[in-house]
Amino acid sequence: MRILVVGAGAVGGYFGGRLQQAGRDVTFLVRRHRAETIREGGLQVVSPHGNFTVYPKAITATEIALTYDVILLSVKSFAVLSAIDDFAAAIGPQTVIVPVLNGMRHMDLLMERFGKHAVLGGVCVVATEMDPHSRIIQLADFQSLRYGELDGQKTERLEAVDQAFRGAGFDAAISTQILQDMWQKWVQLASLGAITCLLRGNIGEIVAVPGGADLPLSAVRECGAVAAACGYPPSAKFLEEKAAEFSAAGSSLTSSMYRDLVRNAPVEVDSILGDLLARGHKLGISTPILQAAFVNLSIYQRARKY
């Protein structure tokens, strides 16, 4: 299968690099500067599972000359509209889009542009970041990718995607409840991002302060209540796991949004917090912690523009 990875940042670069390393037919759609970097020095990954450098095909939007079987969409949410315009020429009648963005707003945008049939659900779990030398640094050893039809069916095209992704150096599998998986990840990201960014610390630092341990758990409850009201209640097992993770003494756990904040980089405040807040407000769900974090990060985001 011809795979087009849209974005060669911390997430797309990692999974796309693994696919390239495993011998898959991979092309990266990137900006010109990133394409030049990859062509000259390769795509470099520093990982607990072994460092590697690959030299994949890297093109820009004006260089798209054919359609692809799979589009692995891995840009930040604030770049999704421009990315959609960029890869539109790569979409054929049988192309399958596998997005691994945070939140759910991107699903609406993709289906509006390409139709519901073209889009699978996708969830990735990986902790990576780009260093000043454009290397992708894997911060922890977990690395999984889940994908599925939105109606939970196992189809021939889904099996073909699974064959392309399996055995490529990361944990890949079909999910028959991908929308539930996506909502649970959203709850996790929103609650962890809200609390670490609002309080400017990791979980260990937050719970070490008297009264601090209650706040991450309250954030999970708020975000979980919105998901439940939207028809995707988090499972009891998920809530138990998050309660343990978000109250662990000495934990260095943070969110990618917090790491972006510390680096003075753009944050996905609208897609991770704002969209969830709006859905909850529409359904009458009280989310004071989520709202405080959204306002806080919106002020930060606007200040970056000036």
Side-chain angles (χ1 to χ4, degrees):
M1 300 186 77
R2 291 193 301 269
I3 302 171
L4 182 68
V5 180
V6 182
V11 173
Y14 184 79
F15 286 107
R18 287 291 184 193
L19 289 166
Q20 174 75 21
Q21 186 186 35
R24 307 301 194 266
D25 183 355
V26 177
T27 300
F28 283 91
L29 178 62
V30 291
R31 300 300 183 197
R32 185 165 301 280
H33 175 73
R34 184 61 169 147
E36 292 171 353
T37 300
I38 291 173
R39 290 165 186 165
E40 292 173 5
L43 190 149
Q44 302 177 52
V45 175
V46 178
S47 167
H49 301 283
N51 303 343
F52 66 92
T53 301
V54 292
Y55 292 84
K57 292 170 283 186
I59 62 172
T60 62
T62 59
E63 297 169 321
I64 296 175
L66 47 81
T67 59
Y68 291 80
D69 299 301
V70 180
I71 307 286
L72 182 61
L73 179 59
S74 60
V75 299
K76 291 284 191 179
S77 60
F78 42 74
V80 68
L81 284 173
S82 61
I84 286 173
D85 288 336
D86 287 346
F87 72 75
I91 299 289
Q94 304 303 319
T95 301
V96 179
I97 304 169
V98 183
V100 289
L101 284 75
N102 297 323
M104 293 296 292
R105 176 57 179 154
H106 64 280
M107 298 294 289
D108 298 332
L109 297 173
L110 289 168
M111 289 187 284
E112 286 169 7
R113 180 69 177 269
F114 303 111
K116 187 174 182 179
H117 180 70
V119 185
L120 297 182
V123 170
C124 72
V125 179
V126 68
T128 50
E129 64 182 14
M130 297 277 288
D131 76 0
H133 305 290
S134 297
R135 299 182 304 172
I136 297 165
I137 311 298
Q138 187 177 11
L139 304 174
D141 63 359
F142 52 82
Q143 45 183 15
S144 70
L145 185 62
R146 298 287 182 270
Y147 33 85
E149 297 282 3
L150 302 185
D151 62 4
Q153 299 297 309
K154 283 192 175 181
T155 59
E156 288 187 10
R157 68 174 189 167
L158 181 59
E159 295 284 0
V161 169
D162 189 46
Q163 287 295 315
F165 287 167
R166 279 185 181 268
F170 53 85
D171 179 17
I174 290 172
S175 170
T176 57
Q177 54 168 24
I178 194 64
L179 288 176
Q180 179 72 22
D181 296 340
M182 292 172 70
W183 270 91
Q184 287 195 163
K185 184 183 179 184
W186 193 7
V187 168
Q188 175 183 355
L189 289 174
S191 53
L192 182 61
I195 210 67
T196 55
C197 291
L198 185 62
L199 300 181
R200 298 297 196 272
N202 62 36
I203 288 297
E205 292 168 334
I206 292 168
V207 302
V209 176
D214 295 334
L215 296 175
L217 302 182
S218 295
V220 174
R221 285 192 292 270
E222 284 187 12
C223 297
V226 176
C230 291
Y232 297 93
S235 69
K237 180 181 178 182
F238 170 86
L239 293 174
E240 290 173 6
E241 290 175 348
K242 295 311 120 185
E245 290 176 10
F246 291 3
S247 60
S251 172
S252 60
L253 181 64
T254 61
S255 65
S256 58
M257 193 155 54
Y258 174 78
R259 294 191 292 272
D260 288 337
L261 177 68
V262 170
R263 293 189 296 110
N264 196 36
V267 293
E268 295 181 292
V269 58
D270 292 323
S271 60
I272 296 179
L273 303 186
D275 190 26
L276 192 64
L277 181 66
R279 294 177 193 234
H281 180 74
K282 185 177 180 180
L283 295 169
I285 308 300
S286 176
T287 53
I289 292 177
L290 186 61
Q291 182 170 342
F294 171 74
V295 172
N296 182 291
L297 288 176
S298 296
I299 293 170
Y300 160 82
Q301 193 89 306
R302 293 180 182 183
R304 289 192 71 260
K305 299 179 181 179
Y306 301 100

